[in-house]
Structure formats: structure tokens, C-alpha cells
Amino acid sequence: QVQLVESGGGLVQPGESLRLSCAASGIIFSINHMGWYRQAPGKERELAAIITSDGRTNYAGSVKGRFFISRDNAKNTVNLQMNSLKPEDTAVYYCNARGDFAGSREVWGQGTLVTVSS
């Protein structure tokens, strides 16, 4: 099965930056889109950023202009550069990928915790 491995989470102060990475491994025929979801304390999981198969990016309004998503198709990776972090960005961030894989069409990462606090 395809696996997604996330890295880069941690504790930062407001205004600082953090970069999350996600690497897909396994038998991958194609990845149509990749994205980052997050679940903040007391809230439902939401889409933070996504990059589609045609190269378009979409962001939640709360992160627009601060977060930037990118992908490397050759390496099957997706990154999320998070700038000017705010306490409300605190959440568990999950990598997600959809496409044509061996045994699945959607996979999730295990989640990485981002805490923004002074």
C-alpha cells in the first residue's frame, strides 16, 4: 500500500515560520492532487491547502497569503510553507493524496502537530 510520511511539525512562537513535508511511497501510478488538512482543538477537520492535478492551488481563507503549498511530482512529495503563524493555526496537520495507487485511491498521513504559542 501507499504510505504518506509527514515531517516538520513542532512548537513555534506567533509570527514565526514552519515548513511541513509529506512524502508518498509505494506503488504509485499517479497522484491527482495532494493537500493538507488540519484539525484544531475543538474544531472539525478542514482543508488548509490543496494543489490539484492541473496545478491550481486553493487555500482556506484563514491561511491565504501566509501559507504556500507546493509539490514535486518526480519525488511524490508535497510541502506546506507556513509563515506568520498565529495561535489559531495550532492544529494537527494531515497530509492527503488522491490518485491511482496500488490498492487504494486515497491515502492519509499519520498527522503532525503544529503548536503556535508564546
Side-chain angles (χ1 to χ4, degrees), residues 34-37 46-51 58-60 63 67-69 80:
M34 304 184 76
W36 290 91
Y37 291 74
E46 66 173 358
L47 178 68
I50 189 171
I51 182 164
N58 296 102
Y59 300 91
V63 309
F67 290 13
F68 301 92
I69 189 170
L80 185 67

Side-chain angles (χ1 to χ4, degrees), residues 27-83:
I27 302 176
I28 302 170
F29 300 106
S30 66
I31 301 178
N32 298 119
H33 68 259
M34 304 184 76
W36 290 91
Y37 291 74
R38 67 182 186 179
Q39 188 165 18
K43 297 184 178 180
E44 297 181 350
R45 187 177 298 187
E46 66 173 358
L47 178 68
I50 189 171
I51 182 164
T52 60
S53 59
D54 60 358
R56 293 189 300 169
T57 57
N58 296 102
Y59 300 91
S62 58
V63 309
K64 180 70 175 180
R66 299 187 298 117
F67 290 13
F68 301 92
I69 189 170
S70 62
R71 66 189 290 178
D72 186 332
N73 291 330
K75 297 180 179 180
N76 292 322
T77 59
V78 62
N79 304 114
L80 185 67
Q81 178 66 43
M82 304 183 294
N83 301 319

Side-chain angles (χ1 to χ4, degrees), residues 8-14 16-18 20 41 82 85-93 112-118:
L11 173 64
V12 296
Q13 294 183 326
E16 295 182 341
S17 298
L18 204 61
L20 304 182
M82 304 183 294
L85 284 162
K86 304 176 180 179
E88 51 263 44
D89 294 320
T90 296
V92 176
Y93 286 73
T112 184
L113 177 63
V114 173
T115 302
V116 184
S117 177
S118 60

